PDB file of all heavy atoms in Angstrom:
ATOM      1  N   ASP A 152      80.714  88.131  95.368  1.00  0.00           N
ATOM      2  CA  ASP A 152      80.489  87.847  96.794  1.00  0.00           C
ATOM      3  C   ASP A 152      81.486  88.607  97.662  1.00  0.00           C
ATOM      4  O   ASP A 152      81.132  89.125  98.720  1.00  0.00           O
ATOM      5  CB  ASP A 152      80.603  86.342  97.070  1.00  0.00           C
ATOM      6  CG  ASP A 152      79.438  85.545  96.503  1.00  0.00           C
ATOM      7  OD1 ASP A 152      78.411  86.145  96.114  1.00  0.00           O
ATOM      8  OD2 ASP A 152      79.573  84.300  96.432  1.00  0.00           O
ATOM      9  N   TYR A 153      82.740  88.676  97.210  1.00  0.00           N
ATOM     10  CA  TYR A 153      83.743  89.458  97.931  1.00  0.00           C
ATOM     11  C   TYR A 153      83.327  90.922  97.996  1.00  0.00           C
ATOM     12  O   TYR A 153      83.431  91.563  99.050  1.00  0.00           O
ATOM     13  CB  TYR A 153      85.127  89.341  97.271  1.00  0.00           C
ATOM     14  CG  TYR A 153      86.082  90.364  97.813  1.00  0.00           C
ATOM     15  CD1 TYR A 153      86.675  90.193  99.065  1.00  0.00           C
ATOM     16  CD2 TYR A 153      86.366  91.523  97.112  1.00  0.00           C
ATOM     17  CE1 TYR A 153      87.522  91.157  99.594  1.00  0.00           C
ATOM     18  CE2 TYR A 153      87.212  92.493  97.625  1.00  0.00           C
ATOM     19  CZ  TYR A 153      87.786  92.311  98.871  1.00  0.00           C
ATOM     20  OH  TYR A 153      88.609  93.274  99.389  1.00  0.00           O
ATOM     21  N   MET A 154      82.855  91.459  96.879  1.00  0.00           N
ATOM     22  CA  MET A 154      82.429  92.864  96.869  1.00  0.00           C
ATOM     23  C   MET A 154      81.302  93.101  97.872  1.00  0.00           C
ATOM     24  O   MET A 154      81.323  94.096  98.596  1.00  0.00           O
ATOM     25  CB  MET A 154      81.975  93.278  95.472  1.00  0.00           C
ATOM     26  CG  MET A 154      83.103  93.422  94.490  1.00  0.00           C
ATOM     27  SD  MET A 154      82.514  93.963  92.870  1.00  0.00           S
ATOM     28  CE  MET A 154      82.053  95.651  93.245  1.00  0.00           C
ATOM     29  N   SER A 155      80.342  92.201  97.917  1.00  0.00           N
ATOM     30  CA  SER A 155      79.229  92.343  98.868  1.00  0.00           C
ATOM     31  C   SER A 155      79.737  92.279 100.301  1.00  0.00           C
ATOM     32  O   SER A 155      79.322  93.076 101.151  1.00  0.00           O
ATOM     33  CB  SER A 155      78.186  91.253  98.637  1.00  0.00           C
ATOM     34  OG  SER A 155      77.579  91.414  97.379  1.00  0.00           O
ATOM     35  N   ALA A 156      80.654  91.348 100.573  1.00  0.00           N
ATOM     36  CA  ALA A 156      81.221  91.222 101.923  1.00  0.00           C
ATOM     37  C   ALA A 156      82.035  92.465 102.278  1.00  0.00           C
ATOM     38  O   ALA A 156      81.957  92.966 103.415  1.00  0.00           O
ATOM     39  CB  ALA A 156      82.097  89.971 102.019  1.00  0.00           C
ATOM     40  N   ALA A 157      82.804  92.990 101.332  1.00  0.00           N
ATOM     41  CA  ALA A 157      83.596  94.191 101.589  1.00  0.00           C
ATOM     42  C   ALA A 157      82.693  95.395 101.813  1.00  0.00           C
ATOM     43  O   ALA A 157      82.957  96.231 102.686  1.00  0.00           O
ATOM     44  CB  ALA A 157      84.553  94.444 100.436  1.00  0.00           C
ATOM     45  N   ASP A 158      81.619  95.485 101.051  1.00  0.00           N
ATOM     46  CA  ASP A 158      80.656  96.579 101.219  1.00  0.00           C
ATOM     47  C   ASP A 158      80.062  96.548 102.628  1.00  0.00           C
ATOM     48  O   ASP A 158      79.972  97.580 103.300  1.00  0.00           O
ATOM     49  CB  ASP A 158      79.559  96.462 100.154  1.00  0.00           C
ATOM     50  CG  ASP A 158      78.661  97.677 100.087  1.00  0.00           C
ATOM     51  OD1 ASP A 158      79.185  98.803  99.964  1.00  0.00           O
ATOM     52  OD2 ASP A 158      77.419  97.489 100.132  1.00  0.00           O
ATOM     53  N   GLN A 159      79.703  95.360 103.094  1.00  0.00           N
ATOM     54  CA  GLN A 159      79.157  95.213 104.450  1.00  0.00           C
ATOM     55  C   GLN A 159      80.220  95.501 105.503  1.00  0.00           C
ATOM     56  O   GLN A 159      79.939  96.139 106.526  1.00  0.00           O
ATOM     57  CB  GLN A 159      78.584  93.816 104.640  1.00  0.00           C
ATOM     58  CG  GLN A 159      77.345  93.568 103.815  1.00  0.00           C
ATOM     59  CD  GLN A 159      76.911  92.109 103.830  1.00  0.00           C
ATOM     60  OE1 GLN A 159      77.428  91.286 104.588  1.00  0.00           O
ATOM     61  NE2 GLN A 159      75.948  91.778 102.988  1.00  0.00           N
ATOM     62  N   ALA A 160      81.446  95.039 105.260  1.00  0.00           N
ATOM     63  CA  ALA A 160      82.526  95.274 106.223  1.00  0.00           C
ATOM     64  C   ALA A 160      82.813  96.766 106.359  1.00  0.00           C
ATOM     65  O   ALA A 160      82.992  97.269 107.471  1.00  0.00           O
ATOM     66  CB  ALA A 160      83.790  94.522 105.802  1.00  0.00           C
ATOM     67  N   LEU A 161      82.848  97.476 105.245  1.00  0.00           N
ATOM     68  CA  LEU A 161      83.101  98.920 105.299  1.00  0.00           C
ATOM     69  C   LEU A 161      81.957  99.643 105.997  1.00  0.00           C
ATOM     70  O   LEU A 161      82.192 100.603 106.737  1.00  0.00           O
ATOM     71  CB  LEU A 161      83.313  99.480 103.893  1.00  0.00           C
ATOM     72  CG  LEU A 161      84.589  99.039 103.193  1.00  0.00           C
ATOM     73  CD1 LEU A 161      84.605  99.536 101.742  1.00  0.00           C
ATOM     74  CD2 LEU A 161      85.822  99.513 103.942  1.00  0.00           C
ATOM     75  N   ALA A 162      80.733  99.180 105.784  1.00  0.00           N
ATOM     76  CA  ALA A 162      79.580  99.807 106.429  1.00  0.00           C
ATOM     77  C   ALA A 162      79.650  99.687 107.947  1.00  0.00           C
ATOM     78  O   ALA A 162      79.136 100.549 108.668  1.00  0.00           O
ATOM     79  CB  ALA A 162      78.280  99.188 105.912  1.00  0.00           C
ATOM     80  N   SER A 163      80.304  98.645 108.444  1.00  0.00           N
ATOM     81  CA  SER A 163      80.375  98.427 109.892  1.00  0.00           C
ATOM     82  C   SER A 163      81.538  99.174 110.546  1.00  0.00           C
ATOM     83  O   SER A 163      81.657  99.168 111.773  1.00  0.00           O
ATOM     84  CB  SER A 163      80.488  96.928 110.188  1.00  0.00           C
ATOM     85  OG  SER A 163      81.764  96.448 109.816  1.00  0.00           O
ATOM     86  N   GLN A 164      82.377  99.814 109.762  1.00  0.00           N
ATOM     87  CA  GLN A 164      83.537 100.519 110.302  1.00  0.00           C
ATOM     88  C   GLN A 164      83.224 102.009 110.455  1.00  0.00           C
ATOM     89  O   GLN A 164      82.473 102.585 109.666  1.00  0.00           O
ATOM     90  CB  GLN A 164      84.752 100.302 109.397  1.00  0.00           C
ATOM     91  CG  GLN A 164      85.172  98.836 109.350  1.00  0.00           C
ATOM     92  CD  GLN A 164      86.229  98.561 108.299  1.00  0.00           C
ATOM     93  OE1 GLN A 164      87.248  99.234 108.253  1.00  0.00           O
ATOM     94  NE2 GLN A 164      85.976  97.569 107.454  1.00  0.00           N
ATOM     95  N   GLU A 165      83.815 102.607 111.472  1.00  0.00           N
ATOM     96  CA  GLU A 165      83.594 104.028 111.744  1.00  0.00           C
ATOM     97  C   GLU A 165      84.177 104.892 110.631  1.00  0.00           C
ATOM     98  O   GLU A 165      85.286 104.644 110.164  1.00  0.00           O
ATOM     99  CB  GLU A 165      84.236 104.417 113.082  1.00  0.00           C
ATOM    100  CG  GLU A 165      83.607 103.753 114.281  1.00  0.00           C
ATOM    101  CD  GLU A 165      82.168 104.218 114.516  1.00  0.00           C
ATOM    102  OE1 GLU A 165      81.875 105.411 114.280  1.00  0.00           O
ATOM    103  OE2 GLU A 165      81.342 103.376 114.912  1.00  0.00           O
ATOM    104  N   THR A 166      83.449 105.916 110.252  1.00  0.00           N
ATOM    105  CA  THR A 166      83.899 106.820 109.199  1.00  0.00           C
ATOM    106  C   THR A 166      85.237 107.459 109.545  1.00  0.00           C
ATOM    107  O   THR A 166      86.131 107.543 108.699  1.00  0.00           O
ATOM    108  CB  THR A 166      82.835 107.904 108.940  1.00  0.00           C
ATOM    109  OG1 THR A 166      81.602 107.255 108.601  1.00  0.00           O
ATOM    110  CG2 THR A 166      83.253 108.829 107.811  1.00  0.00           C
ATOM    111  N   ASP A 167      85.391 107.910 110.779  1.00  0.00           N
ATOM    112  CA  ASP A 167      86.664 108.530 111.179  1.00  0.00           C
ATOM    113  C   ASP A 167      87.822 107.554 111.049  1.00  0.00           C
ATOM    114  O   ASP A 167      88.926 107.950 110.667  1.00  0.00           O
ATOM    115  CB  ASP A 167      86.585 109.066 112.610  1.00  0.00           C
ATOM    116  CG  ASP A 167      85.702 110.300 112.722  1.00  0.00           C
ATOM    117  OD1 ASP A 167      85.452 110.957 111.689  1.00  0.00           O
ATOM    118  OD2 ASP A 167      85.257 110.605 113.852  1.00  0.00           O
ATOM    119  N   ASP A 168      87.583 106.288 111.349  1.00  0.00           N
ATOM    120  CA  ASP A 168      88.631 105.275 111.192  1.00  0.00           C
ATOM    121  C   ASP A 168      88.982 105.107 109.715  1.00  0.00           C
ATOM    122  O   ASP A 168      90.160 105.021 109.350  1.00  0.00           O
ATOM    123  CB  ASP A 168      88.205 103.925 111.774  1.00  0.00           C
ATOM    124  CG  ASP A 168      88.206 103.926 113.298  1.00  0.00           C
ATOM    125  OD1 ASP A 168      88.844 104.811 113.900  1.00  0.00           O
ATOM    126  OD2 ASP A 168      87.567 103.022 113.868  1.00  0.00           O
ATOM    127  N   LEU A 169      87.973 105.045 108.871  1.00  0.00           N
ATOM    128  CA  LEU A 169      88.222 104.898 107.440  1.00  0.00           C
ATOM    129  C   LEU A 169      89.032 106.082 106.917  1.00  0.00           C
ATOM    130  O   LEU A 169      90.001 105.904 106.180  1.00  0.00           O
ATOM    131  CB  LEU A 169      86.908 104.775 106.669  1.00  0.00           C
ATOM    132  CG  LEU A 169      86.049 103.561 106.986  1.00  0.00           C
ATOM    133  CD1 LEU A 169      84.726 103.644 106.233  1.00  0.00           C
ATOM    134  CD2 LEU A 169      86.772 102.269 106.672  1.00  0.00           C
ATOM    135  N   MET A 170      88.643 107.276 107.327  1.00  0.00           N
ATOM    136  CA  MET A 170      89.338 108.473 106.860  1.00  0.00           C
ATOM    137  C   MET A 170      90.748 108.578 107.447  1.00  0.00           C
ATOM    138  O   MET A 170      91.581 109.320 106.917  1.00  0.00           O
ATOM    139  CB  MET A 170      88.498 109.712 107.158  1.00  0.00           C
ATOM    140  CG  MET A 170      87.228 109.758 106.305  1.00  0.00           C
ATOM    141  SD  MET A 170      86.078 111.085 106.730  1.00  0.00           S
ATOM    142  CE  MET A 170      87.040 112.529 106.323  1.00  0.00           C
ATOM    143  N   ALA A 171      91.020 107.832 108.499  1.00  0.00           N
ATOM    144  CA  ALA A 171      92.367 107.772 109.081  1.00  0.00           C
ATOM    145  C   ALA A 171      93.135 106.556 108.547  1.00  0.00           C
ATOM    146  O   ALA A 171      94.174 106.188 109.093  1.00  0.00           O
ATOM    147  CB  ALA A 171      92.278 107.728 110.605  1.00  0.00           C
ATOM    148  N   ALA A 172      92.612 105.940 107.497  1.00  0.00           N
ATOM    149  CA  ALA A 172      93.239 104.790 106.835  1.00  0.00           C
ATOM    150  C   ALA A 172      93.311 103.562 107.734  1.00  0.00           C
ATOM    151  O   ALA A 172      94.164 102.703 107.548  1.00  0.00           O
ATOM    152  CB  ALA A 172      94.619 105.151 106.281  1.00  0.00           C
ATOM    153  N   LYS A 173      92.402 103.465 108.672  1.00  0.00           N
ATOM    154  CA  LYS A 173      92.284 102.270 109.511  1.00  0.00           C
ATOM    155  C   LYS A 173      91.133 101.447 108.942  1.00  0.00           C
ATOM    156  O   LYS A 173      89.992 101.557 109.389  1.00  0.00           O
ATOM    157  CB  LYS A 173      92.024 102.656 110.962  1.00  0.00           C
ATOM    158  CG  LYS A 173      93.144 103.467 111.578  1.00  0.00           C
ATOM    159  CD  LYS A 173      92.773 103.930 112.966  1.00  0.00           C
ATOM    160  CE  LYS A 173      93.839 104.852 113.520  1.00  0.00           C
ATOM    161  NZ  LYS A 173      93.388 105.523 114.742  1.00  0.00           N
ATOM    162  N   VAL A 174      91.458 100.653 107.946  1.00  0.00           N
ATOM    163  CA  VAL A 174      90.453  99.957 107.146  1.00  0.00           C
ATOM    164  C   VAL A 174      90.697  98.464 107.208  1.00  0.00           C
ATOM    165  O   VAL A 174      91.840  98.013 107.129  1.00  0.00           O
ATOM    166  CB  VAL A 174      90.519 100.415 105.670  1.00  0.00           C
ATOM    167  CG1 VAL A 174      89.468  99.716 104.830  1.00  0.00           C
ATOM    168  CG2 VAL A 174      90.385 101.926 105.564  1.00  0.00           C
ATOM    169  N   ASN A 175      89.626  97.711 107.312  1.00  0.00           N
ATOM    170  CA  ASN A 175      89.717  96.256 107.276  1.00  0.00           C
ATOM    171  C   ASN A 175      88.883  95.737 106.109  1.00  0.00           C
ATOM    172  O   ASN A 175      87.659  95.655 106.210  1.00  0.00           O
ATOM    173  CB  ASN A 175      89.219  95.643 108.590  1.00  0.00           C
ATOM    174  CG  ASN A 175      90.119  95.984 109.739  1.00  0.00           C
ATOM    175  OD1 ASN A 175      91.322  95.795 109.661  1.00  0.00           O
ATOM    176  ND2 ASN A 175      89.542  96.508 110.817  1.00  0.00           N
ATOM    177  N   PHE A 176      89.558  95.446 105.000  1.00  0.00           N
ATOM    178  CA  PHE A 176      88.891  94.767 103.901  1.00  0.00           C
ATOM    179  C   PHE A 176      88.909  93.277 104.223  1.00  0.00           C
ATOM    180  O   PHE A 176      89.914  92.766 104.724  1.00  0.00           O
ATOM    181  CB  PHE A 176      89.627  94.997 102.576  1.00  0.00           C
ATOM    182  CG  PHE A 176      89.387  96.344 101.959  1.00  0.00           C
ATOM    183  CD1 PHE A 176      90.352  97.336 102.030  1.00  0.00           C
ATOM    184  CD2 PHE A 176      88.202  96.618 101.294  1.00  0.00           C
ATOM    185  CE1 PHE A 176      90.147  98.577 101.460  1.00  0.00           C
ATOM    186  CE2 PHE A 176      87.981  97.855 100.715  1.00  0.00           C
ATOM    187  CZ  PHE A 176      88.955  98.842 100.802  1.00  0.00           C
ATOM    188  N   PRO A 177      87.822  92.565 103.954  1.00  0.00           N
ATOM    189  CA  PRO A 177      87.810  91.118 104.247  1.00  0.00           C
ATOM    190  C   PRO A 177      88.721  90.360 103.295  1.00  0.00           C
ATOM    191  O   PRO A 177      89.125  90.868 102.252  1.00  0.00           O
ATOM    192  CB  PRO A 177      86.343  90.734 104.021  1.00  0.00           C
ATOM    193  CG  PRO A 177      85.841  91.720 103.032  1.00  0.00           C
ATOM    194  CD  PRO A 177      86.578  93.010 103.331  1.00  0.00           C
ATOM    195  N   GLU A 178      89.024  89.138 103.662  1.00  0.00           N
ATOM    196  CA  GLU A 178      89.787  88.258 102.780  1.00  0.00           C
ATOM    197  C   GLU A 178      88.830  87.673 101.741  1.00  0.00           C
ATOM    198  O   GLU A 178      87.739  87.229 102.094  1.00  0.00           O
ATOM    199  CB  GLU A 178      90.433  87.118 103.577  1.00  0.00           C
ATOM    200  CG  GLU A 178      91.615  87.558 104.402  1.00  0.00           C
ATOM    201  CD  GLU A 178      92.749  88.117 103.559  1.00  0.00           C
ATOM    202  OE1 GLU A 178      93.056  87.544 102.495  1.00  0.00           O
ATOM    203  OE2 GLU A 178      93.322  89.144 103.973  1.00  0.00           O
ATOM    204  N   PRO A 179      89.223  87.661 100.489  1.00  0.00           N
ATOM    205  CA  PRO A 179      88.376  87.030  99.469  1.00  0.00           C
ATOM    206  C   PRO A 179      88.269  85.528  99.722  1.00  0.00           C
ATOM    207  O   PRO A 179      89.235  84.904 100.153  1.00  0.00           O
ATOM    208  CB  PRO A 179      89.121  87.300  98.164  1.00  0.00           C
ATOM    209  CG  PRO A 179      90.061  88.409  98.468  1.00  0.00           C
ATOM    210  CD  PRO A 179      90.397  88.291  99.919  1.00  0.00           C
ATOM    211  N   SER A 180      87.107  84.980  99.471  1.00  0.00           N
ATOM    212  CA  SER A 180      86.902  83.542  99.635  1.00  0.00           C
ATOM    213  C   SER A 180      86.871  82.895  98.261  1.00  0.00           C
ATOM    214  O   SER A 180      86.230  83.390  97.346  1.00  0.00           O
ATOM    215  CB  SER A 180      85.580  83.282 100.354  1.00  0.00           C
ATOM    216  OG  SER A 180      85.316  81.900 100.390  1.00  0.00           O
ATOM    217  N   VAL A 181      87.558  81.789  98.168  1.00  0.00           N
ATOM    218  CA  VAL A 181      87.548  81.040  96.910  1.00  0.00           C
ATOM    219  C   VAL A 181      86.782  79.728  97.063  1.00  0.00           C
ATOM    220  O   VAL A 181      86.824  78.886  96.183  1.00  0.00           O
ATOM    221  CB  VAL A 181      88.984  80.798  96.387  1.00  0.00           C
ATOM    222  CG1 VAL A 181      89.610  82.106  95.971  1.00  0.00           C
ATOM    223  CG2 VAL A 181      89.833  80.085  97.394  1.00  0.00           C
ATOM    224  N   LYS A 182      86.072  79.584  98.182  1.00  0.00           N
ATOM    225  CA  LYS A 182      85.267  78.376  98.380  1.00  0.00           C
ATOM    226  C   LYS A 182      84.193  78.296  97.304  1.00  0.00           C
ATOM    227  O   LYS A 182      83.563  79.289  96.960  1.00  0.00           O
ATOM    228  CB  LYS A 182      84.582  78.399  99.747  1.00  0.00           C
ATOM    229  CG  LYS A 182      85.520  78.178 100.892  1.00  0.00           C
ATOM    230  CD  LYS A 182      84.764  78.158 102.191  1.00  0.00           C
ATOM    231  CE  LYS A 182      85.705  77.949 103.352  1.00  0.00           C
ATOM    232  NZ  LYS A 182      84.999  77.987 104.623  1.00  0.00           N
ATOM    233  N   GLY A 183      83.994  77.093  96.816  1.00  0.00           N
ATOM    234  CA  GLY A 183      82.939  76.876  95.830  1.00  0.00           C
ATOM    235  C   GLY A 183      83.327  77.282  94.418  1.00  0.00           C
ATOM    236  O   GLY A 183      82.544  77.159  93.498  1.00  0.00           O
ATOM    237  N   VAL A 184      84.550  77.780  94.237  1.00  0.00           N
ATOM    238  CA  VAL A 184      85.005  78.146  92.905  1.00  0.00           C
ATOM    239  C   VAL A 184      85.716  76.950  92.314  1.00  0.00           C
ATOM    240  O   VAL A 184      86.615  76.389  92.927  1.00  0.00           O
ATOM    241  CB  VAL A 184      85.976  79.362  92.962  1.00  0.00           C
ATOM    242  CG1 VAL A 184      86.517  79.666  91.581  1.00  0.00           C
ATOM    243  CG2 VAL A 184      85.277  80.562  93.551  1.00  0.00           C
TER     244      VAL A 184
END
Side-chain angles (χ1 to χ4, degrees):
D152 289 347
Y153 167 77
M154 288 182 70
S155 294
D158 190 53
Q159 292 171 9
L161 292 174
S163 71
Q164 296 171 51
E165 295 293 324
T166 303
D167 289 340
D168 287 342
L169 297 175
M170 291 173 65
K173 298 175 186 169
V174 181
N175 293 309
F176 283 104
E178 286 298 318
S180 174
V181 292
K182 288 182 181 177
V184 176

